[in-house]
Amino acid sequence: MTFRPPGTLRVLALLAKNSLLRLLRASQVRKARRQTVPGEGSRSGRSRRPTRRKRGDGLAWLLVLMLPLFAFQSLMMTGQAVVRLGVATEQYSELRSIAEAAVAEPAQGAPTDEDQPRYGGRYTGRRGDDFNVLTPARVWTQPGARERFVQCGALLLLTLLSMLVAIGFGGANANLAGGEWTQAWLMTFPVPTRSLVLAKGLEYSLVTFFPWLTLCPLTYQLLRALGHPWALPAAVGATLATTFLVGSARLYVETRLRLSCSLRALRSVQGACTLTALLLMALVFGIALGPSIPSWFLDLGGAAPAWLVWSPGAWPLAMAEHGAAAALAGVGLTGLVFVLATSASTRLLAHGAMRTGGVDAGARGRAGAWQRARRLGVAGKDLALLLRDRNFLVQTVFVPVFVIGLQLLVNPGLGKVQGSGVAMLAYGIGLYSLIGGCFQVLAAEGRSLWMLYSLPVAIGDALRQKTRIWATLAVLFAWIGLAAFAIRGGQTDLGSLLVDALLVGYGVWCAAHIAAGISVIGCNPNADHVPRQPKARHVYLYFFFASTFFVGLHSAELAPRLATMLVFGTLAYAIWQRACDRLPWLLDPVEEPRRAVALFDGSAALLVFFLLQALLSVLLMTGSIGDGLPPWSSILLAFVIAGAVTVVSFVVVLTRRGVDVMQTLGLRVTDGRRVAVDCGLGLLAGVGLGMLGLAYLQMVREHGWFELPPAPGKDHVELLLLAVVAAPLVEEVLFRGLVFGGLVRSVRVPLAVVWSAALFACVHPVASWPPVFLMGVVAAVVFQRTRFLPAAMLVHASYNFVVLCC
Amino acid sequence: MHATAPTGEPVVELRSLTKRFGEHVAVRDLSLQVARGEILALLGPNGAGKTTTIRMLMGILSPSSGTATVGGHDCFADRAEVMRKVGYLPDEPMFYEHLRGGEIARFCGAMRGMPDAAVVARTDELAERLQFADALDEYAVNYSMGMRKKLALACAMLHDPDVLVLDEPTNGLDPMVTRTLLALVRELAANGTAIFYSTHLLEQAERLCHRVAILHRGGLAALGTPDELRSQLAPGGSLEDVFFQVAREDGAEAAE
């Protein structure tokens, strides 16, 4: 039986449907649900239900939220750039006319020194001048200014177009250097090659969003500034046409490269294209968003030939001058390029869709580097990979440097920071440089991840080794930045510089583990295509966590620095622990770790509790709610509500996850006599500690080590309730039950005891750190010994009671 | 024992097919014919040029010289026409990550111009025989190696092709499904389908196939029915002996 092959339109529809499904189903949110296709699942009774995918990381909605934000931001930035370009061209033309007048009539005088500094060789509408999100039509006062503006705008659009083309071949293009090429498989269908090529071209042209965030707003603002009456439809149409130009270019060059280069060479090409795109992006940003529009750019705009506006990509500006004729010409040009590109690609494929029969030949490099690196184990393999895969090298090492350079270019003020700003900047550099590589610790393994699992190395150790490479690299970057900025800022105090270096190094090292942890938690190695780029939502999450360390860098005193280091280290370890929990199940498509209480739960509970408590306190104290309660009542109420909400919600969350909460918190009573003994022990320990605490307070008063707040007095029932009932109940669940319980799973008991006690101390005032720390240690030891949380609560309660009431 | 080789008109014809990659000659002057209803086994050590030959047959690679035709149409110049009559099982089938098994089959059917109802019916029938009907609603990413193979097989047989090109089809299949597959292949051949069967399993080739072609270093080292080959090259031996005979000869040449 032979069937009539589908026509071109049918092929286009089929492949378009495929692209659409890929877009729709790509989102983790959709994957998280059980999916059945209507009519298919019920086709017969025998079909088994589709396997439930692993839970998503729940952050997909962030991206959806971000999109309109991005759109608004790009509209704002382009608006600003266009307004300033307009002002600059006017100023430039004014200065030139003064100069020309001086040549014609010497009596009027050459441009004076007063004119020069006004523009300083750089022509700027300062930021904030005359600025709207939608650029108003400009009134051109200087002769020639409008023409210069058009030429400069055309240059900008052309640069942007080149950037988009370069991005098309950059690292984000998985099809370019992937092992399999879908085109080759599609060729085994009885469909004309032309249809397949056409479908690919359409996909490349239409399924892209970057031009819509860059080209479209810029064109729109430029047209508005030029007073084009149909700016919006013209800009949208022009962008659509330009996406076809970019898509055609991508189609043709990709086909050509695929057929003529080895995979290794393709990777190098990708690296080069990413670099080119970055350079062009830096150029666009530098010109349009720098402190001023450079004069060489305005010169270039003046010197550029008039036909420039008719060139591909820039022709939309010709619409402002020549109207419909320009639009027709542009669309015609685009159509022509598209037709040429598709037919040329079809012709290329007429010589076969593959370069080699079997193994990709000619892809061997020198063996030397590998010989040396082999001794380093997993880390050595990664280093060899880094040096060989130039695309990866560019993505991970050069991109961060470029991004930082770009920031400095756009905000030159950044380079002149002083004091704690230097350390913060250096830390920021470290953070940036982690994005490329550290987020890829596992994703870079791609489909060969299973090999790591087959080695006689604990998978957690392999991950640690891999993370160390990127952490080292990032710390180096940060230190270089620190040194450079310190020298530039004239900082000579070696001691404080050393402290800064230590602090920054510690922060970056922790951040590396946060990045690696997030990437492991968010990575799905079972996907057929593992993306080589970090997901945006993971990067946002990483920045959110990592930015908490800025607090410690910002403060100059020791105590808050220590506290921040501790909290930040705990956060990093919490994320790391959770990642390690997940590691053994990473290659399993459906199963997830059976979870016990993790440090992550403790950290999250603490965060929720303190935020809630702070919020409620503010609301109650200011009388926004609760109608003017006395201060101590407000504090008590805030504490109780926040504590109850946190504890209850975490108990619910943990139970739903299948954790035996009663067991974990040691609330399951089995032996009445043991309970009595445990409670007595706790009570006794608490009273003893309270005595020590009183002695310590006495010593502090005598020696004047700290300024103590005035004693609140014993007549406050609320304070007593807070200290003796509420605080022990809530804080013991959080610090002993969740934090200590989470820690003790993966570190030795003494370390877990000290760690949780230190965390407990650092949420208290500095003056009380030593006795509170001691109390934390004892409570943790009691909890560990008895596995009965109320005993620890009794330690806490009796300690507080003694200190307050005696 | 296998049936005698059908001697109908040839459907697949390779004439002096050659493929060079730079200096390296992957396939050298290969001439073969497969008749309607014939099962031809393509044997050879790794790197002998089997997959390259198949890719030329599928119009993915262009021959450096010589031609491959199916039903008189050039596999390369007339690719789309040829593909109407050919079903292909790649050695490592790849699938779209975002489609379910059933959806992939429907996509393949639609790309061949089959009406949707016919695709669904045929997919169900093949899935039932190949024992993966309960997995049609699963995402193909979750498929095991054997399941992928089954799905790809179903996709290759959907349209009752005149020529079936199978690249190591039983690789990764369990014995039950292997038996079903072999029965399916015999059935198709009995109905006139020409089958191009690349494999490493000599015994299977001996039992299933009418004729055997052994490739070595890109060239055709031996061609004939298993009986002919045995009597010529390894009297009293098995096809395995023939295979090693061919490989050793070449090794001896290389040693000289």
Side-chain angles (χ1 to χ4, degrees):
Chain A
M1 199 181 347
T2 37
F3 297 94
R4 217 164 58 83
T8 302
L9 278 180
R10 175 98 178 105
V11 173
L12 289 186
L14 279 169
L15 292 174
K17 185 179 157 201
N18 244 344
S19 301
L20 198 69
L21 275 178
R22 179 162 58 230
L23 276 181
L24 290 179
R25 292 187 179 170
S27 98
Q28 290 282 330
V29 178
R30 296 253 325 178
K31 273 184 195 164
R33 285 193 220 123
R34 269 171 195 274
Q35 292 186 19
T36 38
V37 173
E40 234 186 48
S42 57
R43 199 171 58 221
S44 61
R46 56 165 165 68
S47 75
R48 110 183 150 194
R49 300 196 73 170
T51 313
R52 194 172 62 88
R53 291 301 196 85
K54 283 190 182 182
R55 274 183 293 152
D57 41 24
L59 283 158
W61 56 270
L62 245 179
L63 204 68
V64 180
L65 270 181
M66 296 310 273
L67 262 181
L69 214 68
F70 276 139
F72 181 74
Q73 191 194 13
S74 57
L75 210 56
M76 219 167 71
M77 279 163 72
T78 48
Q80 199 176 340
V82 166
V83 167
R84 292 170 59 221
L85 186 63
V87 174
T89 42
E90 292 260 21
Q91 291 174 345
Y92 186 85
S93 305
E94 184 190 347
L95 205 64
R96 278 183 68 110
S97 61
I98 293 175
E100 277 160 19
V103 175
E105 286 179 56
Q108 291 216 335
T112 59
D113 287 348
E114 280 165 27
D115 295 323
Q116 281 297 346
R118 209 159 113 213
Y119 306 131
R122 309 186 113 208
Y123 305 88
T124 160
R126 290 207 62 78
R127 278 182 196 187
D129 288 7
D130 180 25
F131 166 64
N132 295 310
V133 172
L134 299 184
T135 313
R138 194 163 185 86
V139 183
W140 302 93
T141 53
Q142 295 297 323
R146 186 187 156 97
E147 288 69 31
R148 195 176 295 278
F149 177 80
V150 170
Q151 296 287 80
C152 288
L155 276 177
L156 270 184
L157 286 179
L158 264 178
T159 320
L160 213 53
L161 177 75
S162 325
M163 183 186 89
L164 290 174
V165 171
I167 283 178
F169 303 116
N173 183 343
N175 202 24
L176 183 57
E180 303 126 337
W181 198 31
T182 41
Q183 206 75 343
W185 179 64
L186 288 175
M187 300 260 302
T188 64
F189 288 105
V191 175
T193 312
R194 178 176 297 276
S195 314
L196 295 175
V197 170
L198 202 60
K200 197 92 215 150
L202 284 177
E203 186 196 323
Y204 282 173
S205 309
L206 295 176
V207 188
T208 167
F209 73 102
F210 203 52
W212 296 100
L213 288 181
T214 50
L215 259 184
C216 188
L218 184 62
T219 314
Y220 176 53
Q221 304 281 26
L222 284 170
L223 286 177
R224 277 186 70 97
L226 289 170
H228 193 277
W230 299 93
L232 187 62
V236 169
T239 308
L240 190 65
T242 309
T243 57
F244 271 87
L245 275 184
V246 175
S248 323
R250 184 173 159 196
L251 174 73
Y252 176 72
V253 180
E254 186 178 301
T255 312
R256 172 121 231 165
L257 287 174
R258 248 345 266 229
L259 292 176
S260 58
C261 298
S262 70
L263 285 184
R264 184 175 144 85
L266 283 177
R267 290 269 160 82
S268 301
V269 169
Q270 280 202 313
C273 283
T274 311
L275 268 185
T276 313
L278 278 170
L279 273 173
L280 291 172
M281 196 191 291
L283 198 66
V284 173
F285 272 69
I287 291 167
L289 298 170
S292 58
I293 309 269
S295 56
W296 61 261
F297 180 67
L298 295 166
D299 286 335
L300 199 67
W307 53 259
L308 193 73
V309 286
W310 292 97
S311 59
W315 62 266
L317 288 188
M319 284 195 289
E321 312 292 294
H322 308 279
L328 266 179
V331 171
L333 174 81
T334 306
L336 187 68
V337 170
F338 189 75
V339 169
L340 279 179
T342 42
S343 52
S345 307
T346 312
R347 247 205 323 280
L348 278 179
L349 284 173
H351 300 292
M354 273 191 173
R355 194 175 148 264
T356 59
V359 191
D360 187 44
R364 276 180 216 130
R366 280 180 303 116
W370 173 234
Q371 291 292 341
R372 280 191 298 278
R374 197 168 51 185
R375 267 170 261 135
L376 294 170
V378 177
K381 177 201 72 81
D382 273 24
L383 278 176
L385 177 80
L386 185 67
L387 293 178
R388 285 205 187 150
D389 186 341
R390 275 158 218 161
N391 178 30
F392 192 47
L393 184 72
V394 166
Q395 292 278 339
T396 52
V397 181
F398 289 106
V399 169
V401 176
F402 264 97
V403 171
I404 294 158
L406 195 68
Q407 290 290 334
L408 290 180
L409 202 72
V410 177
N411 297 313
L414 266 184
K416 297 182 190 111
V417 288
Q418 301 228 317
S420 66
V422 173
M424 287 165 79
L425 205 60
Y427 177 64
I429 290 174
L431 286 195
Y432 256 129
S433 58
L434 283 170
I435 296 177
C438 208
F439 264 95
Q440 304 299 88
V441 274
L442 289 188
E445 299 280 330
R447 308 220 69 196
S448 45
L449 182 62
W450 63 270
M451 291 188 82
L452 276 190
Y453 282 76
S454 67
L455 296 177
V457 179
I459 187 77
D461 288 341
L463 183 69
R464 193 168 299 128
Q465 282 189 35
K466 285 158 80 64
T467 308
R468 256 182 222 153
I469 300 178
W470 303 110
T472 312
L473 202 67
V475 170
L476 275 181
F477 271 149
W479 279 349
I480 291 170
L482 187 72
F485 288 123
I487 290 167
R488 213 169 136 180
Q491 190 179 348
T492 47
D493 181 4
L494 258 183
S496 75
L497 199 62
L498 213 62
V499 171
D500 278 350
L502 275 177
L503 209 61
V504 167
Y506 174 83
V508 172
W509 193 265
C510 289
H513 288 78
I514 293 180
I518 290 178
S519 79
V520 171
I521 294 168
C523 130
N524 177 15
N526 295 302
D528 255 4
H529 163 62
V530 183
R532 296 172 73 89
Q533 299 256 310
K535 287 184 189 145
R537 55 177 183 272
H538 295 154
V539 177
Y540 292 134
L541 196 66
Y542 158 71
F543 272 121
F544 171 73
F545 284 137
S547 58
T548 51
F549 194 64
F550 279 117
V551 180
L553 289 171
H554 185 62
S555 82
E557 287 167 43
L558 186 65
R561 279 190 163 186
L562 281 178
T564 316
M565 281 173 82
L566 182 67
V567 171
F568 192 60
T570 309
L571 183 68
Y573 190 72
I575 293 171
W576 181 259
Q577 188 192 44
R578 188 154 170 198
C580 287
D581 279 351
R582 224 192 136 209
L583 273 178
W585 278 268
L586 216 50
L587 290 183
D588 190 311
V590 284
E591 284 303 311
E592 286 184 279
R594 337 271 187 263
R595 290 227 189 93
V597 167
L599 184 58
F600 194 81
D601 304 313
S603 314
L606 284 181
L607 194 73
V608 170
F609 172 67
F610 284 117
L611 282 180
L612 212 57
Q613 194 199 359
L615 186 73
L616 284 169
S617 301
V618 168
L619 288 179
L620 285 166
M621 300 279 253
T622 54
S624 303
I625 52 172
D627 221 13
L629 280 173
W632 279 111
S633 306
S634 306
I635 290 175
L636 177 66
L637 200 61
F639 192 98
V640 168
I641 296 175
V645 168
T646 311
V647 170
V648 168
S649 52
F650 267 80
V651 166
V652 170
V653 166
L654 289 173
T655 311
R656 280 185 55 134
R657 211 196 281 156
V659 177
D660 184 351
V661 178
M662 297 297 274
Q663 178 75 38
T664 316
L665 295 185
L667 294 176
R668 191 154 289 158
V669 182
T670 45
D671 178 0
R673 236 185 57 184
R674 253 202 73 191
V675 166
V677 171
D678 290 348
C679 289
L681 185 74
L683 214 60
L684 218 66
V687 172
L689 279 170
M691 306 281 204
L692 279 177
L694 282 177
Y696 169 79
L697 277 181
Q698 193 59 38
M699 267 159 66
V700 169
R701 277 202 200 95
E702 274 174 17
H703 293 87
W705 288 335
F706 298 102
E707 262 187 49
L708 290 176
K714 302 166 202 163
D715 46 343
H716 290 292
V717 177
E718 293 94 339
L719 178 61
L720 214 59
L721 276 177
L722 179 70
V724 181
V725 182
L729 278 177
V730 173
E731 291 184 353
E732 289 309 305
V733 169
L734 295 182
F735 282 98
R736 250 56 71 184
L738 296 181
V739 172
F740 175 75
L743 270 171
V744 86
R745 267 196 324 133
S746 52
V747 302
R748 290 207 189 102
V749 176
L751 182 58
V753 167
V754 171
W755 194 334
S756 67
L759 264 181
F760 180 57
C762 86
V763 300
H764 288 81
V766 179
S768 64
W769 276 10
V772 170
F773 173 74
L774 203 62
M775 199 228 97
V777 167
V778 172
V781 170
V782 166
F783 178 52
Q784 173 69 15
R785 273 287 152 100
T786 61
R787 298 311 300 173
F788 185 57
L789 198 64
M793 288 172 178
L794 275 174
V795 175
H796 196 153
S798 51
Y799 166 83
N800 276 1
F801 182 79
V802 171
V803 171
L804 264 185
C805 296
C806 299
Chain B
M1 228 33 223
H2 53 84
T4 47
T7 47
E9 87 262 37
V11 191
V12 182
E13 275 194 281
L14 312 183
R15 284 193 217 96
S16 318
L17 197 64
T18 303
K19 181 69 187 176
R20 271 184 289 273
F21 298 113
E23 299 282 292
H24 176 64
V25 186
V27 174
R28 187 193 313 263
D29 198 24
L30 179 64
S31 295
L32 272 180
Q33 294 184 337
V34 189
R36 279 174 57 82
E38 186 184 21
I39 309 175
L40 176 86
L42 197 59
L43 305 180
N46 298 119
K50 298 189 296 292
T51 301
T52 304
T53 307
I54 286 179
R55 283 183 176 165
M56 281 193 277
L57 199 57
M58 296 310 297
I60 297 173
L61 280 174
S62 66
S64 304
S65 65
T67 54
T69 56
V70 169
H73 296 283
D74 189 279
C75 288
F76 194 73
D78 253 348
R79 186 187 56 78
E81 186 56 37
V82 167
M83 288 308 133
R84 292 175 65 174
K85 300 172 190 140
V86 178
Y88 169 51
L89 171 77
D91 49 350
E92 278 172 19
M94 61 166 269
F95 294 118
Y96 291 117
E97 178 191 348
H98 55 283
L99 292 185
R100 298 185 180 80
E103 290 173 336
I104 288 172
R106 283 163 79 169
F107 172 76
C108 289
M111 286 291 278
R112 297 184 177 282
M114 294 173 71
D116 204 41
V119 181
V120 171
R122 182 83 174 124
T123 309
D124 282 354
E125 181 195 331
L126 285 167
E128 203 70 65
R129 285 197 70 172
L130 293 169
Q131 298 165 24
F132 72 108
D134 55 349
L136 279 179
D137 289 340
E138 289 246 21
Y139 280 105
V141 217
N142 293 347
Y143 278 20
S144 66
M145 164 86 169
M147 298 274 276
R148 279 165 191 250
K149 214 87 205 196
K150 291 180 197 177
L151 176 61
L153 261 171
C155 290
M157 295 179 180
L158 273 181
H159 56 297
D160 291 325
D162 289 352
V163 177
L164 195 56
V165 179
L166 304 175
D167 202 348
E168 300 190 23
T170 55
N171 195 0
L173 295 184
D174 63 46
M176 278 92 78
V177 181
T178 302
R179 182 175 284 180
T180 317
L181 170 77
L182 297 187
L184 252 173
V185 166
R186 282 201 189 93
E187 238 170 71
L188 284 169
N191 289 336
T193 304
I195 291 165
F196 211 88
Y197 194 100
S198 152
T199 184
H200 283 300
L201 304 175
L202 301 171
E203 203 192 333
Q204 200 177 76
E206 197 168 1
R207 274 192 293 133
L208 177 75
C209 302
H210 302 116
R211 281 196 304 156
V212 171
I214 302 180
L215 286 190
H216 193 53
R217 307 225 167 150
L220 184 62
L223 175 69
T225 65
D227 289 337
E228 282 168 12
L229 291 185
R230 268 197 306 266
S231 61
Q232 280 169 21
L233 292 162
S238 66
L239 188 59
E240 193 177 339
D241 298 320
V242 174
F243 187 86
F244 282 109
Q245 180 70 28
V246 168
R248 199 178 309 124
E249 266 175 23
D250 198 276
E253 268 171 39
E256 283 164 23

